[in-house]
Amino acid sequence: MNLSFPTSATGFHEGTWVMSGCSIMKDGHTTLDEYGQDLDQLAEGDRVGVMRTSNGVLHMYVNGVDQGAASTNIPSKVWAVVDMYGKCAQVTIVDDTNREVAAISNELVSESMALASNELTNDKLVFHDRHGTLIKLSSNRRVAERRRPLDEFNNGVVMTNRPLRDNELFEIRLERLVDKWSGSIEVGITTHNPNILDFPATMTNMRSGTIMMSGSGILTNGKGTRRQYGDFNLDELQEGDKIGLIRKANGTLHYYINDIDQGVAATKVPQTVWGVVDLYGMAVKVTVLEGLSQSSQDDNLVNRMTSLFRHPRTFDNEIAHGENVISLSSIDRLQFHTRCGIHATVINNQRTAHRPNAFDDFNNAVVVTQRILRPGEMFEVVIDKMVDKWAGSIEIGVTTHSPVELEFPSTMTNVRSGTWMMTGNGVMRNGTTILEEYGQNLDRLKAGDHVGVLRKDDGVLHFFVNGIDQGPAASNVPANIYGVIDLYGQAAQATIVDPTTDFGNFGLSDIDFGSDELRFHPRHGQNAIISADGKTASRPSARGEFNDAIVMSNRPLADHELFEVCIDKMVERWSGSIEAGVTLVSPEDIDFPSTMTDIAFDTWLLSGSSVMQDGSTIRNGYRLDLDSLRVGSRVGMMRCSDETLHYYLDGVDQGVACSDVPPGLYAVIDLYGQCAQVTITSGQQNSISHSNNVILTEPEPTLVSPSCSEMTHRFSRCAGKNIEIRNGGTTACRVRSYDQALVFSCDPIKAEEIFEVRVDSISNKWAGSLQVGLTTLAISDSTSFAILPSQATDLKAKATWVVTGSEVQKNGGVVKENYGPSLDRLSLGSRIGVKRSADGNMHLLVNGEDVGVAANNIPKNVFAIIDLYGRIDGVSITSNISADLIGSSVVTSVAMPLETASQVQLLSDEELRFTSEFHDNCGKNISCKNDNQTAERISSYNQGLVFSAKPLPQNHLFQVKIDRINSKWTSSLVIGVVGFSPEKWTPPSSALNIKKPSWLFHANSVYDCGTKVKGNCGINLDALTVGQMVGVKIDQYSMLHLVVDGEDRGAVFRDLPSICYAIVDLYGQCEQVTLMSLDRDVAADFPIPSTEDREKADKEDGQKEKLNLRQSNPNPTILPNCEILNVCSRFKAMLGLPEAFFTSEVSSCYCENCSKIRGDNLYSRKGEPPKDYALPFGWCKFNLRMPLKTDGQGVHDKWHIGFHGTKPGFIRRLLDSGDLLTSSKSLVGGVTSRPLSGHFDEKNKPEELLDIHPIVLSPTLRYAGCQAFAPAIEFRDQKTRKLYHMRVAIQVYIKPGSYKIGPQSTGTNDQFDPKFSNNEVEWSTKERGATTLCALLIKAE
């Protein structure tokens, strides 16, 4: 061939077609500008091909993927040409002898591949391995995620791996959203085959064969065909919501949102269609839900046996369906070949590879299987022994070299052909790294860990660590391969995991997997390991890692089945500890997050003393604090048949944690922080028993007033700073100003429950009026008022719906106008109420009249919120918890399920009087007489404790009458309940000294475990006189009531344990009491309460913030254990600043995570006239005490907000002054008013060079906090030993009109903040007293 070779292939002329970059050139001229994948972006190991079809069409291939038709009318006789241009230095022709290439026309590709998919596979639906350029697949292609979500909003199209079958549901779950973009996920179908599709930036750009749901409309081939479809807008869905679609056999397309059919979206849909998802805009991550638990029916026998061993319930299902199963003993077991590396030995019937001199040699220990791996066969080993002397550890992979022919190298990564190995967390092919960051690091494995490798039928190689698929590692791996391990470094011995081993000699019919006792599931977080036959879970690197250690039960819990673990090991290095809960998500389906609090759907858990649902705190101050547990503590959880979740500490019920919990829950334990190891101690149903499984109690005694059938609502003690709560929590008054007057219901509002108040007082000097609504902000009496905004409409940290005037607002934004009568027209005596209906709608009631639906999709566990704003400055509660919500008097023990009414056992005569006598164990100064009906203190003023003889049944009044008073003493009787048996317990001198579970009423205060939690509760027990009666009772909602002279004073404590004994302390003046027996003639049977009307647990709509309120940190706007806040707090402590400079309010963190959970806006406005400023994102804020004079100057309301950057060494001087210094003497000390360098030039010079230098501020920390104003200094955190760069700044109030706005005086011409022009980013003032310091800001980088 006489050819004059040009310098590059593009120099060829006369019949040459070349792909260069992403362009097609003919005879040196471009014919296609945008074609296929860019060849300039390829790396080592990538494959490029070219093919001329029989009809003269030229196709280019990249890594086996057809890039489509490049050119037509190609002559029949052509040569291939390769130009090793630029970076490309070497290529090798790929041998195609083992491949079957079918050159078919584009018109037949989709149809033939669709038929092949339907005929040759029954695989579950997953995502196709071809997708948009920014997509990353994981979890066996079940999870799709768009990379760089804050930088890119499109190129996130993914499709199903095969066409959808008729009536087959394709469903996904939204896992992650970002708030930066507009628009969100789009879902639909397309006739385009993913194998040949040139994926567009967004699927709505497709102009043929595509139907998509976008927002609330339907697009066909990129054009809108239905503007409004269904009841949901995809742009408004939240994390955890589900989207599905079905092409029905009649050709209609239906969408399903959260399992609700939205109706027909399109008709005459073609039969062969693929599911398609566009992760557009806010949508970042989704998981395929359909068919996750199904297994392929066409797997080969070995693969099926391996699957059965790993998932025994699958095998149990096959037995149940009568499928034929071949004996496992007939399978040729996989073994090691006896020919191996010189430092290795094969033992244990060729199943174990051993490096006998592991302390002397670290390599030359390669071992290969004795036979080729079968298609779909897993080669897996368990590490038996390790040594700590060497670096590196086990390496595993496959090779085409047989052990007979292989010349064993010192390490398998030295083999330069036919070998794929996983080493560390990377993958190597023929000694060259092809994946640097692949999966879990093998160098961190411990003895007992499993590692395996599997070549799938499509030639893709997958590695497994402890049963978890690490994802595709390599493709086009040949079929005839051997398994190989390298006992390198620390790895000293490994044994092949054989699926037949654990079955022993039993026949398969003898195995009952369904009756397995409770164990931990083999799937778990990456830092956890399971041992002791599945009973123990541990975090081996407990001092190096504090999270990623979630473990779950191997099966769902039955009702009334206790799942209990004992804490075996703890470390003192971290804050936080074990977290425990339940979830509907099975271990096979979950994508394990770093902590349990990140699970955003179908999960209920206890973290510290906070109860959380779907990542949001629904309750603070639960009786059990997991952070206080120690080694040996036992913690358990149980779902009862009444749909409540209970926690147990050392076998003692801690009461109801939450309600409306569905059945079928898996137990979840997070070995977080200090907790390093737990062991299951339970597993048997009904493992907690009581003497009486079902108790039928007597009705209310006749001495209780009729009003006691209802319990009055109460305001929470947490209220705005201008509010006073009076009359036992039933009245709220605003005592000053016109705002800062938020009040909340004490407890969440139940379905159909009305919370109503009456207007008691009006102040006409103010404008505006009362605002009312519902909020998901979890409020308790101990919550600090510092977290509350000045108005209800400013409450944006959690989802809040408020009616103000005639508008309905959500988180400050108007969602409905002209809703109903304006609340501005309320007058004295007007009644205003709010309720959440059973269908999740908020209703407003004015003077008892329902105004209608104000808002929808209201989640459960919401609190009523009232804002006594403007004219309205006093209200009283007029509503009660109705009797039908409180329930009847028949209750069940948490130990046993209540099956039918016929199983209820009436109490015996002896049991009916078990609260009618005192316990024999009492205080040493007590004498009991009258058959233990009367208790007398015979000396001194204390040591007078008496208890009920048996636990109190629910709704049973324990009541005593005061017989004798001695006025020479002070104080008087104490009454309440204790959560333990007084048997064999030595009572202290006073009930208030009891530190075990106890809930007491003393004087006008209440005490929890000896600690005063409330005061001024209305009634004063010290004022009781002879003949008066006082008692306690626990209702069926586990709430403790105080009853005085027959009047129920309302519920004070909630979630009491199921076993409580009454206690009376004859203290001080009270010297004798007598039990008041109940009249048995009034006992009556009550029907068992129906559960048919109970709401089923559903997800909260709209708010999935990961929030963890604990008693030690009452701020619901900061993440628990926020690392940034902790570092900044320790840096602040290092500065040695007196605490007197700072307020008692909790600090605020504006890191990415904390800002996200609050839903912070980027900017805010302040002052008169209003002026924009940027929130201090990335900084931590520590509020400073401000002078009292600022209130009179209107600083908080009228002045603007600015920021001033400075050095850490000058903070103390600024705080001492209370103002930004303006004299030149301040500059001597180094307080930087202008940038450190290049302050002024000829174009930027102060107008007057006086002794007063202007102070430089900015409305944004992007300018004020830059290096020129706030230079970074190094700080090594003594706790974490990490090195940080710290910056400091001051947030100030600045008087309007006292400063000039000018251009930047430092930095480049790039815009500092998109909100502010560089011509207005710098403020300066010379006026002394024009600034007031309000907060210290610290940033850790």
Side-chain angles (χ1 to χ4, degrees), residues 150 176-177 179 546-547 594-595 598 797 1104-1108 1116-1125 1149-1160 1177-1179:
L150 298 178
R176 183 186 171 200
L177 297 169
D179 297 330
F546 63 90
N547 57 5
S594 58
T595 66
D598 290 337
K1104 302 284 188 289
E1105 299 91 350
K1106 295 153 181 69
L1107 182 64
N1108 184 9
T1117 63
I1118 298 177
L1119 284 173
N1121 301 322
C1122 176
E1123 181 181 0
I1124 299 298
L1125 179 61
C1149 179
Y1150 288 86
C1151 70
E1152 180 179 355
N1153 290 332
C1154 293
S1155 297
K1156 182 179 179 180
I1157 65 170
R1158 290 191 300 265
D1160 286 339
F1177 282 102
W1179 297 68

Side-chain angles (χ1 to χ4, degrees), residues 539 541-546 570-576 673-675 1130 1277-1282:
R539 197 174 81 242
S541 303
R543 295 191 177 276
E545 304 283 353
F546 63 90
M570 301 186 74
V571 294
E572 298 296 333
R573 179 170 184 179
W574 314 104
S575 60
Q674 297 180 357
C675 182
R1130 289 191 285 270
D1277 188 4
Q1278 294 301 312
K1279 183 170 184 179
T1280 64
R1281 308 305 301 172
K1282 293 182 179 179

Side-chain angles (χ1 to χ4, degrees), residues 715 718-723 725 732-745 755 757-759 761-762 766-775 788-795 800-805 809 812 823-824 826 832-834 844 863-876:
F715 288 124
C718 174
K721 67 179 183 181
N722 292 335
I723 285 291
I725 303 297
C733 299
R734 192 182 75 239
V735 295
R736 66 183 70 86
S737 190
Y738 62 90
D739 59 357
Q740 299 284 359
L742 298 185
V743 290
F744 302 86
S745 61
F755 186 89
V757 298
R758 179 186 63 243
V759 177
S761 59
I762 290 179
W766 305 110
S769 185
L770 176 142
Q771 301 169 3
V772 62
L774 298 172
T775 179
L788 303 180
S790 59
Q791 298 183 37
T793 53
D794 293 333
L795 184 55
T800 302
W801 297 262
V802 173
V803 179
T804 171
Q809 297 189 17
L823 299 188
D824 294 341
L826 295 179
I832 185 76
V834 64
L844 189 70
F863 292 76
I865 178 174
I866 308 286
D867 190 353
L868 302 184
Y869 182 80
R871 295 173 56 246
I872 309 299
D873 58 10
V875 296
S876 295

Side-chain angles (χ1 to χ4, degrees), residues 1148-1185:
S1148 300
C1149 179
Y1150 288 86
C1151 70
E1152 180 179 355
N1153 290 332
C1154 293
S1155 297
K1156 182 179 179 180
I1157 65 170
R1158 290 191 300 265
D1160 286 339
N1161 294 320
L1162 294 175
Y1163 305 93
S1164 185
R1165 311 191 82 188
K1166 194 74 174 178
E1168 293 182 1
K1171 194 72 174 178
D1172 291 328
Y1173 69 97
L1175 268 64
F1177 282 102
W1179 297 68
C1180 291
K1181 179 180 175 183
F1182 302 89
N1183 292 316
L1184 298 170
R1185 294 185 184 275

Side-chain angles (χ1 to χ4, degrees), residues 694-701 883 886-892 898 904 907 953-956 1033-1037 1082-1089:
V694 182
I695 302 173
L696 182 63
T697 60
E698 301 179 25
E700 296 291 334
I886 296 178
S888 68
S889 58
V890 177
V891 297
T892 64
L898 182 62
V904 177
L907 300 177
Q954 291 180 338
N955 283 327
H956 191 97
K1033 72 172 182 178
I1034 301 173
D1035 64 18
Q1036 58 265 46
Y1037 283 96
V1082 301
D1085 295 345
F1086 286 83
I1088 297 174

Side-chain angles (χ1 to χ4, degrees), residues 229-428:
Y229 167 73
D231 299 325
F232 293 86
N233 188 329
L234 299 190
D235 295 344
E236 298 176 356
L237 296 185
Q238 301 296 319
E239 293 173 355
D241 287 339
K242 297 182 293 183
I243 310 166
L245 59 84
I246 292 179
R247 182 206 177 272
K248 299 200 173 183
N250 61 1
T252 59
L253 178 66
H254 289 243
Y255 282 90
Y256 293 77
I257 310 296
N258 292 326
D259 302 322
I260 301 174
D261 188 352
Q262 302 301 297
V264 176
T267 59
K268 299 180 180 179
V269 177
Q271 185 169 11
T272 303
V273 291
W274 281 261
V276 59
V277 176
D278 192 347
L279 295 179
Y280 180 81
M282 296 186 293
V284 175
K285 185 177 181 181
V286 295
T287 298
V288 177
L289 297 181
E290 175 65 14
L292 293 179
S293 61
Q294 297 176 354
S295 61
S296 173
Q297 297 179 359
D298 295 320
D299 286 343
N300 59 70
L301 179 60
V302 175
N303 195 34
R304 288 178 64 201
M305 294 301 104
T306 303
S307 175
L308 295 179
F309 173 68
R310 293 183 176 279
H311 307 287
R313 286 194 299 276
T314 305
F315 172 75
D316 194 38
N317 291 335
E318 292 194 7
I319 295 295
H321 289 83
E323 297 188 14
N324 295 323
V325 180
I326 301 176
S327 173
L328 289 171
S329 61
S330 64
I331 303 174
D332 184 13
R333 297 170 65 186
L334 193 61
Q335 296 175 319
F336 288 120
H337 199 282
T338 55
R339 189 170 183 270
C340 54
I342 59 175
H343 292 156
T345 303
V346 175
I347 58 177
N348 188 22
N349 295 324
Q350 297 179 236
R351 296 185 59 248
T352 300
H354 178 53
R355 197 170 94 238
N357 299 317
F359 283 97
D360 300 325
D361 304 297
F362 63 88
N363 58 4
N364 283 298
V366 173
V367 190
V368 184
T369 58
Q370 97 285 8
R371 62 168 172 81
I372 292 173
L373 301 180
R374 296 189 175 94
E377 181 179 15
M378 168 83 80
F379 170 55
E380 184 177 33
V381 299
V382 57
I383 302 175
D384 299 325
K385 295 180 181 179
M386 301 191 73
V387 296
D388 297 329
K389 182 176 180 179
W390 314 104
S393 187
I394 191 170
E395 298 172 350
I396 188 170
V398 294
T399 181
T400 58
H401 301 281
S402 74
V404 177
E405 301 171 351
L406 179 64
E407 183 177 348
F408 283 86
S410 60
T411 176
M412 201 62 191
T413 53
N414 290 340
V415 179
R416 292 292 182 260
S417 64
T419 303
W420 294 260
M421 298 292 294
M422 182 176 178
T423 169
N425 63 343
V427 178
M428 301 183 73

Side-chain angles (χ1 to χ4, degrees), residues 1-6 12-14 79:
M1 180 173 63
N2 296 322
L3 178 64
S4 177
F5 284 89
F12 277 123
H13 299 286
E14 299 179 359
W79 281 265

